[in-house]
Amino acid sequence: MKEFAVFWGCTIPARFPFIEKSVRVVLERMGLPWTECDGFTCCPEKSLINNIDHGLWVLTGARNIAIVDEQGLDLVSPCTGCISNLATIKGELHVDHRKKEEVNSMLKEVGRRFTGSAGLNHLVPFFHDKVGAFRIKGATKRDFRGMRFAIHYGCHMMRPYHALKNDDPLEPKKFDALIGWLGGESVNYMTKLTCCGQGLDRVDQHPTALQMARVKLRELNSLGVDAMVLCCPSCFLQFDNNQFLMEKDGESFGIPVLYFTDLLGLAMGCSPEELGLGQHRISVDGFLEKWERLNAARDTEKRLEEELKEEGAFI
Amino acid sequence: MIEEHLDFNLLRKCADCGACYNVCPSCLYIEGYDPRAVIKDILEGGFERWLHSEHIWQCLECHQCLELCFQHYGFENAMTTMRLLATKKGIHPAQVKRGWDMFIKTGRLGEPAMGQRKRLGLPEPRPSGKEEFLRLLAIYRERKAQEKKGGEAER
């Protein structure tokens, strides 16, 4: 496997260091060839930067990509926004040589060069494609049989397709496959691919953002899933923090929100403390209790089976 | 000015089609949000009134419309252009300006939460590219100023 750098972005280190912890723990335990780079800036964020200055948006993204290009690394991000922005910028420069030259003439003055040789991917499709079922199943000690998950893909994990090319943009499958490899059930639901709506919180429209969060949370509440699982800090903000704010106002949904690496880490035998699960605003205790209960029941079953086998029972 | 940003031929087909209305999350869940009305006004030359509307900021840039669109165009191109024109006139939510200000000062939209990192036992974050970014920003601005001057001289 080619060595890759992790692009943390701004939101994870600033607002959710426990997500960074969860990702680090999993990458480390898996023994993957990962590294970090000096000198990254904001990816940059689309709705705030691209709407004001497209040229600067492209230039800043090209500079970030140039850092991994130079070192011959690939780039993987646990943030959907970052990877989508970087891939879109890379795609734009690949089809516009004049623009690419112009960007490189500016980057040259700070000693950098964009080639676009680095592969860019989001953590979830990366785990699906590059780490793969064999290695993932080999690394896990426990599974999630009997647990029902609502996957929230996060729009920018696989959109726009022309830039990311990592899954079907309108009917993605890879996150579902990963949950299946971990033994969990991915529940199909009507609003599964609907945007979280957190973007509205960035343009002073908090009540509308909550309205969007409600759409999904209400449906999941009625379906009775054990947890929502996602891999994007903005979506996490929307469903964990904003769900908590609504809960404080008396509107309760009770949907624990897990990061993809939280789930993988638990299956690999990491403790909830190690993964920072206590820092989620919506308590994950109920989820963990059910999981322990199911595991304990299965252990008893297994033990009984073995005892009976020893006694010569035909099973 | 708007013609620089939008392909009116594609947009005309957009106005006739409107298939993405049924997959757009904002159309589905935000009352009164309808890019078809914006596109109609762009084509008929009356788009200015939308620059002050909160609706142009309600496009979530989720790219659902782009992926569904047989022209690979979708509502989002029209909405992005409206936001671009609005910000050029200085009309935007205060939060957008705050984000922009922080970005051009620090190269980031948030600084690592050091206290929390320490408690979690996380290592020191790698140094950011702030200094280099600020130099690059100065170079970029200088180029733009030169281009503008060149353009004016030509005229």
Side-chain angles (χ1 to χ4, degrees):
Chain A
M1 187 189 290
K2 195 174 164 188
E3 195 180 2
F4 63 95
V6 175
F7 192 91
W8 299 109
C10 301
T11 314
I12 292 177
R15 300 206 56 173
F16 308 117
F18 53 90
I19 290 178
E20 184 179 327
K21 179 85 189 294
S22 163
V23 176
R24 278 176 184 275
V25 164
V26 166
L27 295 178
E28 216 39 66
R29 279 222 189 182
M30 275 265 171
L32 299 175
W34 72 289
T35 185
E36 290 175 276
C37 293
D38 291 353
F40 285 140
T41 60
C42 176
C43 53
E45 212 271 340
K46 202 176 176 196
S47 62
L48 300 181
I49 312 306
N50 190 34
N51 283 330
I52 298 183
D53 192 332
H54 180 70
L56 184 61
W57 183 68
V58 171
L59 182 63
T60 312
R63 185 190 156 277
N64 282 325
I65 299 169
I67 292 173
V68 274
D69 279 349
E70 284 157 14
Q71 300 182 47
L73 299 163
D74 278 345
L75 187 121
V76 174
S77 181
C79 172
T80 64
C82 290
I83 210 64
S84 177
N85 288 327
L86 291 170
T88 305
I89 291 164
K90 179 179 159 182
E92 193 171 321
L93 292 177
H94 266 326
V95 296
D96 191 338
H97 288 277
R98 251 182 67 189
K99 195 180 274 176
K100 187 170 155 185
E101 271 172 32
E102 199 184 314
V103 160
N104 269 331
S105 75
M106 285 184 269
L107 287 176
K108 200 179 167 192
E109 294 194 40
V110 294
R112 300 217 181 262
R113 191 176 133 74
F114 166 91
T115 59
S117 58
L120 312 175
N121 211 351
H122 182 270
L123 191 78
V124 165
F126 170 81
F127 260 87
H128 180 278
D129 298 345
K130 296 285 161 69
V131 183
F134 183 74
R135 200 158 170 177
I136 291 174
K137 286 183 180 175
T140 51
K141 296 184 174 119
R142 301 162 81 187
D143 63 35
F144 290 98
R145 271 176 291 165
M147 304 291 279
R148 303 173 78 230
F149 296 97
I151 294 175
H152 170 75
Y153 269 85
C155 304
H156 300 119
M157 183 189 289
M158 64 287 168
R159 286 197 294 267
Y161 177 78
H162 68 85
L164 285 157
K165 294 191 182 68
N166 58 4
D167 206 344
D168 186 320
L170 293 171
E171 211 185 336
K173 296 270 191 296
K174 290 182 183 171
F175 209 160
D176 290 85
L178 283 162
I179 297 304
W181 296 344
L182 298 178
E185 180 196 349
S186 163
V187 175
N188 208 1
Y189 62 105
M190 204 170 75
T191 59
K192 185 172 173 186
L193 287 171
T194 303
C195 175
C196 70
Q198 204 277 326
L200 295 160
D201 246 341
R202 287 196 289 270
V203 293
D204 291 326
Q205 299 196 26
H206 184 61
T208 322
L210 293 187
Q211 192 181 311
M212 289 289 295
R214 252 179 223 119
V215 169
K216 204 163 264 214
L217 291 169
R218 273 190 188 147
E219 187 184 358
L220 295 184
N221 179 271
S222 72
L223 285 174
V225 297
D226 294 309
M228 176 191 260
V229 50
L230 44 74
C231 199
C232 168
S234 289
C235 304
F236 185 83
L237 185 68
Q238 174 75 323
F239 292 117
D240 193 57
N241 287 43
N242 279 348
Q243 185 184 172
F244 176 72
L245 292 179
M246 288 189 277
E247 220 168 63
K248 271 207 320 202
D249 282 342
E251 200 179 356
S252 178
F253 303 96
I255 311 287
V257 184
L258 294 168
Y259 224 65
F260 165 62
T261 47
D262 293 341
L263 214 56
L264 186 52
L266 286 171
M268 287 166 76
C270 305
S271 70
E273 294 74 33
E274 233 179 315
L275 298 163
L277 293 184
Q279 301 212 23
H280 292 207
R281 294 287 186 95
I282 300 295
S283 168
V284 297
D285 292 350
F287 169 85
L288 292 171
E289 274 161 27
K290 179 174 172 185
W291 189 44
E292 292 300 342
R293 210 167 52 235
L294 285 178
N295 271 301
R298 261 202 296 274
D299 287 347
T300 315
E301 222 172 81
K302 216 168 156 189
R303 209 183 53 240
L304 276 175
E305 221 170 82
E306 268 159 26
E307 278 174 17
L308 285 170
K309 251 187 211 162
E310 267 170 35
E311 285 168 18
F314 183 73
I315 297 176
Chain B
M1 188 163 97
I2 193 164
E3 288 83 358
E4 283 170 40
H5 301 282
L6 289 169
D7 185 328
F8 273 50
N9 284 328
L10 297 182
L11 213 55
R12 245 169 243 127
K13 289 201 184 80
C14 249
D16 292 339
C17 167
C20 43
Y21 185 80
N22 294 314
V23 294
C24 167
S26 299
C27 295
L28 290 170
Y29 302 111
I30 301 173
E31 213 185 320
Y33 179 86
D34 189 352
R36 293 178 302 188
V38 181
I39 290 172
K40 192 167 165 270
D41 280 345
I42 292 173
L43 290 170
E44 289 171 4
F47 68 86
E48 276 84 2
R49 70 188 183 100
W50 290 103
L51 299 181
H52 295 273
S53 166
E54 63 173 6
H55 286 321
I56 63 170
W57 298 95
Q58 286 168 341
C59 163
L60 294 157
E61 301 178 72
C62 71
H63 310 311
Q64 283 262 19
C65 58
L66 186 76
E67 302 293 356
L68 187 76
C69 180
F70 72 98
Q71 314 189 92
H72 201 61
Y73 207 61
F75 286 160
E76 71 168 49
N77 277 291
M79 301 310 266
T80 304
T81 302
M82 296 308 280
R83 287 194 295 272
L84 205 67
L85 296 179
T87 50
K88 269 194 182 147
K89 290 189 178 213
I91 314 160
H92 44 61
Q95 219 177 339
V96 172
K97 180 76 175 32
R98 282 200 299 276
W100 169 260
D101 287 345
M102 181 159 193
F103 174 68
I104 54 168
K105 259 185 225 147
T106 66
R108 288 204 280 222
L109 290 175
E111 293 301 317
M114 296 311 285
Q116 218 184 335
R117 295 181 69 85
K118 216 170 178 181
R119 280 196 294 281
L120 285 162
L122 286 170
E124 278 283 308
R126 290 298 186 102
S128 91
K130 181 182 168 185
E131 303 307 323
E132 191 182 302
F133 167 76
L134 292 176
R135 269 193 288 143
L136 193 62
L137 178 63
I139 294 161
Y140 173 75
R141 284 183 161 163
E142 203 182 298
R143 289 262 178 117
K144 269 189 110 176
Q146 271 172 6
E147 270 170 32
K148 207 177 163 194
K149 244 168 120 184
E152 273 165 14
E154 255 175 49
R155 267 204 296 279

